[in-house]
Amino acid sequence: MPPSKEISGRFFVRYRLTGDESEARAKAADLCLEQTVECPADILPKGFIPDEVVGRLESLQKSSAPGAPAYEALVSFLNDTTGGEITQLCNILYGNISLKKGFRLSRLEDGSGLWGRFKGPRFGCDGLRALLGQPHRPLLSTAVKPMGLSAVELAGLAGRFAAGGIDVIKDDHGLANQPFASFVERAERCAEAVRKAAAPAGRTILYAPNVTAPAAEVHERAHFAKQVGAGALLICPGLTGLDTMRALADDDSLALPILAHPAFLGSFVTSPGNGISHFALFGQLMRLAGADATIFPHFGGRFGFSLDECREVVDGCQDALGNLKSIFPTPGGGMSLRRLPELLAFYGNEVMFLVGADLVRNGPDIEKNCELFRELVERN
Amino acid sequence: MPPSKEISGRFFVRYRLTGDESEARAKAADLCLEQTVECPADILPKGFIPDEVVGRLESLQKSSAPGAPAYEALVSFLNDTTGGEITQLCNILYGNISLKKGFRLSRLEDGSGLWGRFKGPRFGCDGLRALLGQPHRPLLSTAVKPMGLSAVELAGLAGRFAAGGIDVIKDDHGLANQPFASFVERAERCAEAVRKAAAPAGRTILYAPNVTAPAAEVHERAHFAKQVGAGALLICPGLTGLDTMRALADDDSLALPILAHPAFLGSFVTSPGNGISHFALFGQLMRLAGADATIFPHFGGRFGFSLDECREVVDGCQDALGNLKSIFPTPGGGMSLRRLPELLAFYGNEVMFLVGADLVRNGPDIEKNCELFRELVERN
């Protein structure tokens, strides 16, 4: 536990503050104190703390976005206030002000060396493409479910998806360590089923078990998964904390691609004037914390994201953020095969599609449904 | 990693669903699938899965609460769907539906043995009172801050608070492992300062360093803190994940009281029709995950909780939940000494008050300010 190394410079964050100019200015001043020293300015000793540690309002501009009147504030913070830790970075970004109304974190901007302190995605788009031997087309993914099936039944499904040529086959994120399909048996059987089914065609297919688990077991499950041949990992950072995902991504003895699932994170985005933008949460923060693919619900499925919000996620996956690799937006949440032309038009090639139930629903021959999925994407 | 033991029975959860009766009924049906099997009902195999694993709507009643029309749904889930893990319990409670609008988790109800699977608070109100030798009056707490002071300066403050007789002296939750006051030096110096200052009066005073940290370091910091004499721990479960707090609370080799801080959790409560109620989030879930005290912003300070919302937190700390101990609501967030009569009237004795900046601001003699805090509470 050595003290963290100094990280010179400041990092910049954009917030949307609801209100007219004087309200927005008051909110900005409040934010600069609340996110750092958490006390009124008049009790601070002069010098370093008010001059450097307190957040600094760099600019304030009227927002042109539709909705309630709002201002865009660019705020800078001293890199050292984060101690180089994602937990404390998130606290500076949105810790206390999460409890107030009318503050929305829009995006991480220039990081003068702070973003470079995080390794971010180990694979990113290029690395995952190289691993799968798929340099161009959108990647295909699906989920084994539902909860309640036995490990043997889930493995049967995984094998059929693999025989059908799906690139990444993940656990449903509700599969944990339930008595009806324990983690150990499920990971072992699914990994084996995928390996056997992929072998005849010489394909690389990754099985990603869900390692969302009690704090002390995440790494144990991940290492067990690797040992039995899983090629990737699924985790819900909203349930485990973002840094738990970061630690998996940074673990050189694992070195597996990470898929991030958005469970339990929706409240950050559902209230437009509050919370964190889709861009920053599902794009930038997931990437900073090591995800190689970020799952989110596409417009028009079972969930309510708009097309603009989906576009934000894509941009957050790909727009420059230090030197961090870009990652795969992974739209899912009730996607059907018949929507693929529309999805392809919207996302282009730099995407991993997640189609779940429709690969079972589209007809009794699951393998054929998977092949159709693949054909629809390759035809593009 | 053995499979989880079976936990027979079901647990019951109350949700508020926005809409008229038919909308609420549709939302309830959606919730029962989305929180468990995550797929349409028509592709489920007959038997155990639709009969037991899928959530079950037990009752639906029109809500009498003010605001948009809504219904109160009582839903039950199979205990085994959680695998006995807090991560997966939170996923069942509010994982995917966090991404939809108009679903609010109101409260955990009867748990038929599930709540009993969690040890919950090690101390609770009675245990913390016994530790401090304060059987009746409200407890007093404060925070050492601001971020940017050196460990020596922070320890100076901690010592003065202890000399003034504050029961629990916590780190500000933004103190992590920054270069200007590393965790090791701060914990060591503050614990020592508190011990020395408490000794003459023979008082028990607890110093609670902030152990919110990267996943692999939380336990290391907590054990170091104990070793140097810290008497309690502060953690932000919104940043680390709830189970990380649970693991600290359950660690018999630590056996320290835990204070939970709400940083990064506000988005769950700021949008009335969405998210999680104050009762369930800051009361029940914190308690289930092992907090002995739950910090939240009292009405009329720097934050926006209403009196009703503060009352909800109190009730969530104290209302029956399995056999879990009741815990201390810990209102703070800009509380001043002059508000104590009002706070005492609202909270009664079963509370820990958190007064921060006002103990510095109320006059140059910090020790005297602390004594005034104590007198105002003891006079009650």
Side-chain angles (χ1 to χ4, degrees):
Chain A
M1 277 187 309
S4 67
K5 287 184 198 137
E6 289 188 27
I7 317 166
S8 64
R10 302 179 72 82
F11 65 101
F12 295 74
V13 185
R14 197 168 293 279
Y15 295 92
R16 176 172 299 169
L17 307 176
T18 310
D20 61 22
E21 190 180 340
S22 71
E23 289 168 309
R25 205 164 280 282
K27 279 200 166 88
D30 181 24
L31 184 156
C32 289
L33 291 166
E34 195 62 74
Q35 295 308 99
T36 53
V37 293
E38 297 181 61
C39 62
D42 61 312
I43 66 161
L44 296 175
K46 289 203 189 310
F48 173 64
I49 295 178
D51 295 349
E52 301 288 336
V53 172
V54 170
R56 195 183 285 162
L57 178 62
E58 302 282 352
S59 70
L60 188 72
Q61 294 194 307
K62 197 161 179 9
S63 167
S64 56
Y71 279 72
E72 297 286 336
L74 184 68
V75 177
S76 74
F77 298 102
L78 193 67
N79 287 341
D80 275 341
T81 58
T82 68
E85 297 172 349
I86 283 188
T87 35
Q88 172 61 3
L89 170 63
C90 287
N91 183 45
I92 295 278
L93 290 173
Y94 205 67
N96 270 6
I97 52 164
S98 75
L99 294 151
K100 301 189 175 191
K101 290 188 185 176
F103 295 80
R104 186 163 174 103
L105 168 59
S106 307
R107 58 196 294 155
L108 315 185
E109 299 269 0
D110 184 30
S112 310
L114 180 60
W115 313 142
R117 281 290 292 260
F118 299 102
K119 292 181 189 162
R122 180 181 288 267
F123 295 87
C125 292
D126 292 347
L128 199 48
R129 285 191 175 288
L131 202 61
L132 288 163
Q134 292 298 347
H136 302 303
R137 67 155 171 78
L139 302 183
L140 317 177
S141 67
T142 191
V144 293
K145 55 176 155 184
M147 182 201 296
L149 293 182
S150 68
V152 170
E153 291 167 314
L154 293 166
L157 269 174
R160 272 167 278 168
F161 291 141
I166 303 296
D167 300 305
V168 178
I169 299 162
K170 70 173 190 70
D171 277 353
D172 207 18
H173 77 280
L175 304 181
N177 189 29
Q178 290 96 344
F180 24 83
S182 73
F183 179 82
V184 162
E185 188 186 353
R186 184 176 79 247
E188 212 158 18
R189 288 189 187 275
C190 288
E192 187 191 11
V194 168
R195 188 173 53 245
K196 283 189 180 163
R203 286 178 177 142
T204 300
I205 294 181
L206 307 177
Y207 163 59
N210 176 32
V211 296
T212 308
E217 286 194 32
V218 173
H219 282 264
E220 200 183 345
R221 292 193 196 174
H223 281 276
F224 178 82
K226 177 166 175 123
Q227 185 192 316
V228 297
L233 300 170
L234 175 78
I235 190 163
C236 304
L239 297 167
T240 62
L242 271 174
D243 191 74
T244 297
M245 180 166 76
R246 194 270 321 149
L248 285 180
D250 285 0
D251 185 340
D252 291 333
S253 65
L254 275 174
L256 293 176
I258 312 274
L259 283 68
H261 188 284
F264 213 62
L265 286 173
S267 296
F268 285 102
V269 299
T270 40
S271 177
N274 306 310
I276 303 181
S277 72
H278 296 72
F279 178 90
L281 181 63
F282 297 119
Q284 293 183 309
L285 286 175
M286 292 301 172
R287 203 167 149 199
L288 202 65
D292 298 289
T294 179
I295 298 168
F296 63 97
H298 184 64
F299 170 76
R302 303 197 310 272
F303 298 82
F305 282 21
S306 70
L307 281 177
D308 284 348
E309 291 166 345
C310 295
R311 177 63 61 205
E312 274 194 39
V313 180
V314 174
D315 292 344
C317 288
Q318 298 172 349
D319 285 7
L321 180 67
N323 291 317
L324 297 181
K325 295 179 177 82
S326 64
I327 65 173
F328 278 109
T330 305
M335 288 303 99
S336 59
L337 295 176
R338 64 170 177 77
R339 289 191 64 194
L340 275 172
E342 170 203 342
L343 289 165
L344 285 159
F346 186 80
Y347 289 102
N349 279 338
E350 213 61 354
V351 63
M352 172 149 59
F353 292 123
L354 173 58
V355 177
D358 212 44
L359 294 184
V360 175
R361 214 181 193 181
N362 202 58
D365 187 337
I366 290 177
E367 196 171 329
K368 205 166 151 189
N369 298 336
C370 295
E371 282 159 11
L372 175 62
F373 183 12
R374 201 178 170 96
E375 279 162 28
L376 285 167
V377 164
E378 286 181 343
R379 192 184 301 164
N380 190 37
Chain B
M1 278 186 309
S4 67
K5 287 183 198 135
E6 287 187 29
I7 317 166
S8 64
R10 303 179 72 81
F11 65 102
F12 295 75
V13 185
R14 196 169 294 279
Y15 294 91
R16 176 171 300 168
L17 307 176
T18 309
D20 62 22
E21 189 179 343
S22 72
E23 288 168 312
R25 207 164 280 282
K27 279 200 165 88
D30 181 24
L31 185 155
C32 289
L33 292 166
E34 195 62 74
Q35 295 308 100
T36 54
V37 294
E38 297 181 57
C39 61
D42 61 309
I43 65 162
L44 297 175
K46 289 202 189 309
F48 173 64
I49 294 178
D51 296 349
E52 301 289 336
V53 173
V54 170
R56 194 183 287 162
L57 179 62
E58 302 282 352
S59 71
L60 187 72
Q61 294 194 306
K62 197 163 176 11
S63 167
S64 56
Y71 278 72
E72 297 286 336
L74 184 67
V75 177
S76 74
F77 299 101
L78 193 67
N79 287 341
D80 274 341
T81 58
T82 69
E85 298 173 349
I86 283 189
T87 35
Q88 172 61 4
L89 169 62
C90 287
N91 184 46
I92 295 277
L93 291 172
Y94 204 67
N96 271 6
I97 51 162
S98 74
L99 294 152
K100 301 189 177 193
K101 290 186 185 179
F103 296 79
R104 186 164 175 103
L105 168 58
S106 306
R107 57 194 297 154
L108 314 184
E109 300 269 2
D110 183 31
S112 310
L114 180 60
W115 312 142
R117 281 290 292 260
F118 299 102
K119 293 181 187 161
R122 180 181 288 266
F123 294 87
C125 293
D126 294 347
L128 199 48
R129 285 191 175 289
L131 201 61
L132 288 163
Q134 292 297 349
H136 303 302
R137 66 156 171 78
L139 302 184
L140 317 177
S141 67
T142 191
V144 293
K145 55 174 148 182
M147 182 202 296
L149 293 181
S150 67
V152 170
E153 292 167 314
L154 293 165
L157 268 174
R160 273 167 276 169
F161 292 142
I166 302 297
D167 300 305
V168 179
I169 298 162
K170 72 173 189 68
D171 278 352
D172 208 17
H173 77 280
L175 304 181
N177 189 28
Q178 291 95 345
F180 26 83
S182 74
F183 179 81
V184 163
E185 189 186 353
R186 184 177 78 245
E188 212 158 18
R189 289 188 186 274
C190 288
E192 186 191 12
V194 167
R195 187 171 56 246
K196 283 189 178 163
R203 285 176 177 142
T204 299
I205 293 180
L206 307 177
Y207 164 59
N210 175 33
V211 297
T212 308
E217 286 194 33
V218 172
H219 282 263
E220 200 183 345
R221 292 192 197 177
H223 282 275
F224 178 82
K226 176 164 175 126
Q227 185 192 317
V228 298
L233 299 170
L234 175 78
I235 190 163
C236 303
L239 295 167
T240 62
L242 271 173
D243 191 74
T244 297
M245 180 164 78
R246 195 270 321 147
L248 285 180
D250 285 0
D251 185 341
D252 291 332
S253 65
L254 275 174
L256 293 176
I258 312 273
L259 283 68
H261 189 284
F264 213 63
L265 287 172
S267 296
F268 285 103
V269 299
T270 42
S271 176
N274 307 309
I276 304 181
S277 72
H278 295 72
F279 178 90
L281 180 63
F282 296 119
Q284 292 182 310
L285 286 175
M286 292 300 170
R287 205 167 148 199
L288 202 65
D292 298 289
T294 178
I295 297 169
F296 64 96
H298 182 64
F299 169 76
R302 301 197 311 271
F303 298 82
F305 282 21
S306 71
L307 282 176
D308 284 349
E309 291 166 345
C310 294
R311 176 63 60 206
E312 273 194 39
V313 180
V314 174
D315 292 344
C317 288
Q318 300 172 347
D319 285 7
L321 180 67
N323 291 317
L324 297 181
K325 296 181 176 80
S326 65
I327 65 172
F328 279 109
T330 305
M335 289 301 100
S336 58
L337 295 176
R338 65 172 176 75
R339 290 191 63 193
L340 275 171
E342 171 204 339
L343 289 165
L344 284 159
F346 186 81
Y347 290 101
N349 279 338
E350 213 62 352
V351 62
M352 172 149 60
F353 292 123
L354 173 57
V355 177
D358 212 44
L359 294 184
V360 175
R361 213 181 193 182
N362 201 58
D365 187 337
I366 290 177
E367 196 171 327
K368 206 166 150 187
N369 298 338
C370 294
E371 282 160 9
L372 174 62
F373 183 13
R374 200 177 171 98
E375 280 162 29
L376 285 166
V377 164
E378 286 181 343
R379 192 185 298 165
N380 189 37

